[in-house]
């Protein structure tokens, strides 16, 4: 189930899991919530819808349009000049008229040729109040066609570029969801790191308090020195200060994560580290194939070429003679009554060719063509170089990711070794076999190993989701990442999830969760 509803079901399941264990949040749950609820996800949806309506507007231009136009109540009471056509004498006469007109037309643009055909019906009325006369002029049926010759056909080129732009918008939306995944993964592991440091500092304080009491008793029995007791007290004070520092860091990391998720009450939340990593080895050839098939990279290259070719075609078409063929066929009539204006109709045919020919433009048109040709070659070269860089970057990502599973295993083993060594060192200190300095060193090594393991887990998942973003392919479940865009478009409310208390979620309140 890879549709838009898949995200709703996934979000429902992850929120239901929060009901069962209100203090735990897994990485997959955080990703599902972020992809539905975060502001970044909503911005991606709005951006996609903008591209969708832009594409819809273009497609509407290819369909016939029905238009009604006219001028009503055109009253004119003024003095105008009139010329006697026999004598040429000019007189100033009073004009007291009103005009009304209406035109109903059906227009269709023709993308293949760039022409425009119109079917029209026209009625005009002139009222001359001075002479108490009314004149009607009608054209019940008129078919007109306008055809530019050798002109740039923008609609034809837009018919090539608009579908590619919309495909890019679809894949950009899926990619944006992967960006959300990568971002929430980073925030999630920031909390895990801060959470681990805070828990470790609490455990350290507990250990140091016990050891400080033990050191004081040894001092009374003269089995240790005052310096050793002071060093242990200093270690205890440092541990207590580390608790406060780590608690502030944890609060900040929690705020960053849950504000991104737009969850307001997270006081009882505790993150569950994804300790189990899939043992996935990905083939470079498979990644390249999926990236070329699924990503927007080839479409973006195609669009760049089309835009460059469009600019060149526009520059070439502006050179030389420009011609426009106009034709009109229909019927017309004039009368002093409405009925006479529609009786005994007369033929009405008009055909004409207008042209424009620049004689000398100092090489402006030629220069524009040469510039467009040079730009086309630049685009070709950049596309070739960008493609090589793109392939090389994918190869690097695959190599880096395939090394992560073994790195995670080594980091986990190092953490276990450091923990075991600390336990041994702690027992040896309790028996007085080693100094507090040795104990602090073992503790620092253990904390460093834990931090390294969490950092390695973060690197693994970040690299995995980066490959998933580059290929739009789920390498764990082995399927393409798709979205039911029809359902996404039909859902006018993109804010499926709303703010609420994370600890009070119920299945019936899913629509109100934020």
């Amino acid at each position: 189930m890879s549709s838009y509803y898949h995200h709703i079901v996934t979000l429902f399941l992850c929120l239901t899991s929060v009901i069962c264990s209100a203090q735990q949040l897994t990485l997959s749950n955080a990703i599902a919530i972020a992809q539905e609820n975060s502001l970044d996800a909503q911005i991606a949806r709005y951006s996609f819808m903008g591209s969708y309506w832009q594409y819809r507007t273009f497609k509407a231009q290819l369909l016939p349009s029905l238009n009604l136009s006219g001028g009503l109540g055109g009253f004119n009471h003024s003095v105008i000049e009139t010329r006697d056509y026999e004598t040429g004498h000019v007189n100033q006469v009073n004009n007291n008229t009103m005009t009304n007109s209406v035109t109903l037309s059906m227009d269709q643009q023709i993308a293949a040729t760039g022409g425009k055909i119109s079917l029209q019906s026209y009625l005009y009325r002139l009222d001359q109040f001075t002479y108490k006369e009314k004149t009607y002029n009608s054209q019940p049926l008129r078919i007109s066609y306008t055809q530019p010759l050798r002109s740039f056909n923008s609609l034809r080129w837009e018919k090539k570029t608009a579908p590619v732009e919309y495909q890019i918008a679809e894949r950009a939306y899926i990619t944006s969801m992967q960006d959300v995944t990568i971002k929430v993964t980073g925030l999630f592991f920031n909390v895990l790191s801060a959470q681990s440091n805070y828990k470790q500092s609490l455990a350290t304080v507990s250990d140091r308090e016990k050891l400080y009491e033990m050191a004081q008793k040894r001092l009374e029995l003269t089995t240790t020195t005052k310096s050793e007791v002071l060093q242990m007290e200093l270690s205890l004070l440092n541990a207590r200060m580390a608790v406060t520092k780590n608690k502030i860091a944890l609060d900040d990391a929690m705020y960053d994560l849950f504000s991104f998720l737009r969850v307001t009450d997270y006081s009882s939340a505790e993150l569950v580290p994804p300790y189990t990593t899939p043992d996935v080895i990905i083939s470079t050839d498979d990644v390249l194939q999926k990236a070329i098939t699924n990503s927007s990279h080839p479409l973006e290259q195609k669009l760049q070429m089309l835009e460059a070719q469009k600019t060149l075609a526009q520059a070439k078409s502006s050179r030389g003679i420009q011609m426009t063929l106009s034709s009109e066929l229909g019927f017309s009539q004039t009368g002093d009554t409405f009925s006479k204006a529609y009786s005994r109709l007369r033929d009405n045919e008009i055909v004409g060719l207008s042209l424009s020919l620049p004689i000398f433009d100092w090489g402006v048109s030629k220069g524009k063509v040469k510039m467009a040709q040079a730009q086309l070659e630049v685009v070709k070269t950049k596309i070739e170089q960008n493609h090589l860089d793109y392939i090389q970057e994918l190869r690097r990502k695959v190599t880096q990711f395939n090394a992560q599973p073994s790195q995670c295993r080594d980091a986990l083993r190092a953490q276990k070794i450091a923990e075991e060594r600390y336990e041994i060192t702690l027992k040896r200190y309790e028996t007085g076999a080693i100094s507090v300095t040795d104990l602090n060193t073992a503790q620092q090594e253990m904390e460093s190993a834990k931090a390294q393991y969490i950092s390695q887990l973060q690197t693994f998942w970040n690299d995995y989701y980066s490959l998933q973003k580059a290929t739009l392919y789920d390498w764990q479940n082995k399927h393409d990442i798709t979205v039911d865009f029809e359902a996404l478009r039909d859902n006018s409310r993109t804010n499926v999830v709303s703010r609420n208390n994370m600890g009070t979620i119920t299945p019936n309140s899913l629509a109100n969760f934020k």
Side-chain angles (χ1 to χ4, degrees), residues 117-245:
I117 186 170
S118 298
L119 178 63
Q120 302 174 343
S121 181
Y122 169 79
L123 177 63
Y124 173 84
R125 170 174 165 168
L126 172 64
D127 289 88
Q128 301 184 77
F129 300 115
T130 302
Y131 306 107
K132 297 181 180 180
E133 291 182 357
K134 292 183 293 185
T135 304
Y136 291 89
N137 181 16
S138 74
Q139 291 184 323
L141 182 63
R142 178 174 65 187
I143 301 176
S144 64
Y145 182 71
T146 303
Q147 176 61 60
L149 304 175
R150 298 193 72 255
S151 297
F152 176 68
N153 187 353
S154 60
L155 190 60
R156 175 172 169 268
W157 279 99
E158 193 172 356
K159 194 174 181 181
K160 293 181 179 180
T161 59
V164 178
E165 290 174 346
Y166 181 64
Q167 285 182 289
I168 292 175
E170 287 185 332
R171 298 186 185 185
Y173 172 76
I174 304 177
T175 302
S176 296
M177 291 297 101
Q178 301 310 305
D179 286 332
V180 170
T181 297
I182 293 172
K183 186 171 183 178
V184 77
T185 298
L187 295 173
F188 188 90
F189 275 97
N190 288 344
V191 176
L192 283 182
S193 178
Q195 185 175 275
S196 175
N197 291 338
Y198 178 64
K199 288 182 176 180
Q200 182 60 44
S201 63
L202 290 176
T204 300
V205 167
S206 178
D207 288 345
R208 292 300 182 268
E209 288 176 344
K210 295 177 182 177
L211 294 176
Y212 179 61
E213 284 184 26
M214 186 182 299
Q216 287 179 316
K217 292 179 180 179
R218 286 179 178 176
L219 181 62
E220 294 175 357
L221 299 174
T222 67
T223 58
T224 188
T225 64
K226 181 66 174 179
S227 175
E228 188 80 9
V229 174
L230 291 176
Q231 191 172 1
M232 179 53 67
E233 183 179 5
L234 180 60
S235 178
L236 173 59
L237 293 175
N238 289 334
R240 287 174 177 171
M241 289 188 290
V243 169
T244 303
K245 178 182 176 181

Side-chain angles (χ1 to χ4, degrees), residues 14-25 33 254 258 262-270 498-507 509-510 512-514:
C14 80
L15 293 179
T16 303
S17 69
V18 177
I19 299 169
C20 301
S21 182
Q23 297 181 343
Q24 294 186 336
L25 180 68
I33 294 173
M254 291 281 282
F258 286 97
R262 297 172 71 199
V263 174
T264 56
D265 186 359
Y266 52 87
S267 57
S268 61
E270 182 178 0
S498 59
R499 284 192 179 93
N500 203 337
N501 185 319
M502 192 178 78
T504 59
I505 302 167
T506 64
S509 67
L510 174 60
N512 297 319
F513 172 78
K514 266 189 186 175

Side-chain angles (χ1 to χ4, degrees), residues 170-448:
E170 287 185 332
R171 298 186 185 185
Y173 172 76
I174 304 177
T175 302
S176 296
M177 291 297 101
Q178 301 310 305
D179 286 332
V180 170
T181 297
I182 293 172
K183 186 171 183 178
V184 77
T185 298
L187 295 173
F188 188 90
F189 275 97
N190 288 344
V191 176
L192 283 182
S193 178
Q195 185 175 275
S196 175
N197 291 338
Y198 178 64
K199 288 182 176 180
Q200 182 60 44
S201 63
L202 290 176
T204 300
V205 167
S206 178
D207 288 345
R208 292 300 182 268
E209 288 176 344
K210 295 177 182 177
L211 294 176
Y212 179 61
E213 284 184 26
M214 186 182 299
Q216 287 179 316
K217 292 179 180 179
R218 286 179 178 176
L219 181 62
E220 294 175 357
L221 299 174
T222 67
T223 58
T224 188
T225 64
K226 181 66 174 179
S227 175
E228 188 80 9
V229 174
L230 291 176
Q231 191 172 1
M232 179 53 67
E233 183 179 5
L234 180 60
S235 178
L236 173 59
L237 293 175
N238 289 334
R240 287 174 177 171
M241 289 188 290
V243 169
T244 303
K245 178 182 176 181
N246 291 337
K247 182 63 169 64
I248 294 173
L250 176 59
D251 290 342
D252 290 342
M254 291 281 282
Y255 173 79
D256 291 340
L257 172 62
F258 286 97
S259 63
F260 183 73
L261 300 180
R262 297 172 71 199
V263 174
T264 56
D265 186 359
Y266 52 87
S267 57
S268 61
E270 182 178 0
L271 275 61
V272 179
Y275 289 123
T276 303
T277 57
D279 192 8
V280 179
I281 299 297
I282 301 176
S283 165
T284 302
D285 292 338
D286 290 341
V287 168
L288 295 178
Q289 188 269 327
K290 286 297 181 182
I292 297 301
T293 303
N294 295 343
S295 74
S296 60
H297 172 72
L299 294 175
E300 289 170 351
Q301 290 190 315
K302 180 179 180 181
L303 183 61
Q304 291 177 18
M305 280 297 298
L306 287 173
E307 292 291 348
Q309 292 170 352
K310 173 184 174 181
T311 302
L312 178 58
Q314 187 173 8
K316 287 183 176 180
S317 63
S318 63
R319 298 182 63 186
I321 188 171
Q322 304 292 310
M323 296 180 292
T324 302
L325 175 65
S326 301
S327 60
E328 180 180 310
L329 175 64
F331 303 95
S332 65
Q333 185 57 277
T334 302
D336 54 5
T337 64
F338 180 82
S339 59
K340 289 182 180 180
Y342 282 90
S343 61
R344 308 184 70 174
L345 299 175
R346 295 177 294 181
D347 293 344
N348 185 57
E349 297 93 11
I350 300 175
V351 178
L353 182 67
S354 61
L355 56 88
S356 172
L357 177 63
I359 303 300
F360 189 71
D361 64 356
W362 302 94
V364 173
S365 300
K366 181 179 179 181
K368 290 182 177 180
V369 172
K370 294 296 183 181
M371 288 170 55
Q373 288 175 337
Q375 185 60 33
L376 177 60
E377 295 303 318
V378 169
V379 170
K380 288 180 179 179
T381 304
K382 285 185 176 181
I383 286 177
E384 182 178 357
Q385 182 61 52
N386 290 341
H387 184 68
L388 293 176
D389 294 342
Y390 178 76
I391 296 299
Q392 181 60 28
E393 179 64 15
L394 286 176
R395 293 182 184 276
R396 185 194 66 80
K397 286 183 177 180
V398 173
T399 302
Q400 180 174 310
F401 173 77
N402 285 337
Q404 296 310 312
S406 62
Q407 293 285 88
C408 287
R409 289 191 294 269
D410 291 343
L412 177 59
R413 177 58 183 160
Q415 175 182 286
K416 292 180 178 179
I417 291 173
E419 289 174 344
E420 185 177 352
R421 180 176 181 274
Y422 175 75
E423 292 297 328
I424 295 173
T425 305
L426 180 61
K427 291 179 181 179
R428 293 186 64 193
Y429 177 81
E430 290 174 350
T431 61
I434 60 173
S435 67
V436 68
T437 302
D438 295 328
L439 178 64
N440 289 337
T441 300
Q443 179 196 344
Q444 291 171 2
E445 290 177 351
M446 179 183 66
E447 292 174 352
S448 176

